[in-house]
Amino acid sequence: MTFFDFYKTSATALLRMPFILLSILIVFDMAINVNELFGILDVMPAKQNIMLVGKHGIGKSEILTDYFHKLGIPVVTLFLGQMSDPGDLIGLPRLDEQTGKTVFIPPYWFPVDGNPVVLFLDELNRARPEVLQTIMDLALNRKLAGRTLPAGSRLISAVNDGDEYQLTDLDPALVSRFNIFEFCPSTSDWLIWAQKKNLDNRVVAFIRKYPKFLDGNDVTTKSDMGLEKTPDRRAWEKVSDCIANIEEITELHKKMIAGIVGPIATQAFTQSLFSDKILSGGDILLNYKNHKEKLKKYQLHEIAIVNEDVFRFLETDESVADKKMTIAANLTFYVNDLLNANRNEEFAHFASFFENENYPKAVTFIVSYASEVYDKLMNFIESLSH
């Protein structure tokens, strides 16, 4: 059910659903996004291990690194699929001349200062069986070759899910030592991240308009050699890096991009560069009067894109702090024009982002500087409960 379907049938209808039916709906949506992952990390004790199940290229390592960097905890990423034997994980043996016993030299990453670390075990289900046996003791006792990780250290693993991967079956005893979550960062998660990282605006605008190309499950291209090229989040970052200083995309550039995201996504991307650009949140909030007439011609799906980009702009753009009054005034004009034109579904969609935990800074801005917008949102939300 889309938000628009939900709006048409009214929110109160859903609220009247029997508890069991609501529970069934919840059970079938167990995937977590970035904010939900952060919420879990905030409350889950460090001694409990986490396993994230998801596609490759969705930024698991970088997301975790950014989160724990803010807490001052280093993240050590170990690619288990690249390890040939347990020695790559536990270190090499040597003879202790004083005791005459064999000991293991700690690997380069092992913390010797007593401070906690986060071990991110990537590609867990691509590891060799002998490497997985070493992980067993690590997952249960936080030990490697007799050395214990510092108190407060975390163990987080990631596994690739899908028929396209060459995988190792995981021992149920090992799996039982992890709390398992299907990790599916949303398109909004990526767009917020992309704007913070200053990715090329053309890439961001394309994914904003055509989100199906972000992970590209249905735009896979097979070659005669059996190779497949599917666009993913990591690939779009590569595209951004390649075209950052290129103003005009030539045929050569198209071939370059096709080698990164595949020909189908490349064709859609380059065609979008020549199509009519949908207004961005910045266009609306910084210069609304110049775009007012164009907005009147927008259909529902186009306004939906603008709505979310308004919240994304308020959440991520650094100019918000310096232009509060201008932005607040234009936001008020935008909302009032939606309501005055009886575009109720569009306003309902706008209101949905006010209650979305992905945009806390945007909500704070509206509450603090756009009181008229806030009042209209509160009146609308309250009306749904009657």
Side-chain angles (χ1 to χ4, degrees), residues 25-226:
L25 291 176
I26 294 171
V27 165
F28 282 114
D29 186 16
M30 296 301 292
I32 61 172
N33 59 28
V34 172
N35 278 338
E36 290 168 332
L37 173 61
F38 291 167
I40 289 171
L41 292 172
D42 286 342
V43 300
M44 184 169 289
K47 64 182 179 181
Q48 296 190 25
N49 306 321
I50 293 174
M51 180 184 294
L52 301 178
V53 182
K55 275 198 63 177
H56 71 280
I58 58 176
K60 295 184 287 288
S61 178
E62 185 167 2
I63 290 168
L64 289 169
T65 299
D66 288 346
Y67 172 83
F68 285 106
H69 176 75
K70 295 176 182 178
L71 300 177
I73 303 175
V75 176
V76 178
T77 301
L78 302 176
F79 296 98
L80 301 186
Q82 300 175 10
M83 294 184 175
S84 58
D85 61 61
D88 294 335
L89 185 62
I90 64 176
L92 299 176
R94 69 172 176 84
L95 179 65
D96 187 327
E97 296 181 355
Q98 292 182 347
T99 65
K101 297 180 179 180
T102 298
V103 296
F104 286 86
I105 303 172
Y108 73 94
W109 56 265
F110 197 92
V112 294
D113 56 5
N115 294 321
V117 298
V118 175
L119 282 188
F120 180 55
L121 307 179
D122 204 1
E123 303 178 337
L124 181 68
N125 56 340
R126 299 184 69 182
R128 294 174 178 269
E130 54 269 29
V131 173
L132 290 176
Q133 290 300 316
T134 305
I135 298 298
M136 292 281 281
D137 192 30
L138 183 62
L140 182 61
N141 301 312
R142 301 298 174 91
K143 288 185 177 181
L144 274 179
R147 291 185 176 83
T148 304
L149 291 174
S153 294
R154 281 186 179 270
L155 194 65
I156 301 176
S157 68
V159 300
N160 296 326
D161 183 32
D163 296 334
E164 68 270 30
Y165 304 112
Q166 296 180 354
L167 306 176
T168 303
D169 290 336
L170 296 178
D171 189 317
L174 176 61
V175 173
S176 69
R177 297 174 184 180
F178 289 87
N179 301 333
I180 302 175
F181 302 97
E182 181 184 357
F183 185 47
C184 298
S186 67
T187 302
S188 294
D189 291 332
W190 187 85
L191 288 170
I192 291 173
W193 171 86
Q195 289 189 257
K196 288 180 178 178
K197 294 290 184 178
N198 293 318
L199 264 61
D200 189 276
N201 287 333
R202 291 166 291 185
V203 171
V204 175
F206 174 69
I207 298 300
R208 181 167 61 95
K209 189 174 181 180
Y210 303 105
K212 75 171 185 176
F213 286 99
L214 178 57
D215 295 311
N217 295 327
D218 56 347
V219 291
T220 300
T221 304
K222 293 186 177 181
S223 72
D224 294 337
M225 294 182 291

Side-chain angles (χ1 to χ4, degrees), residues 39 56 64 76 150 306 320 340 381:
H56 71 280
L64 289 169
V76 178
V306 174
V320 173
N340 291 337
I381 294 170

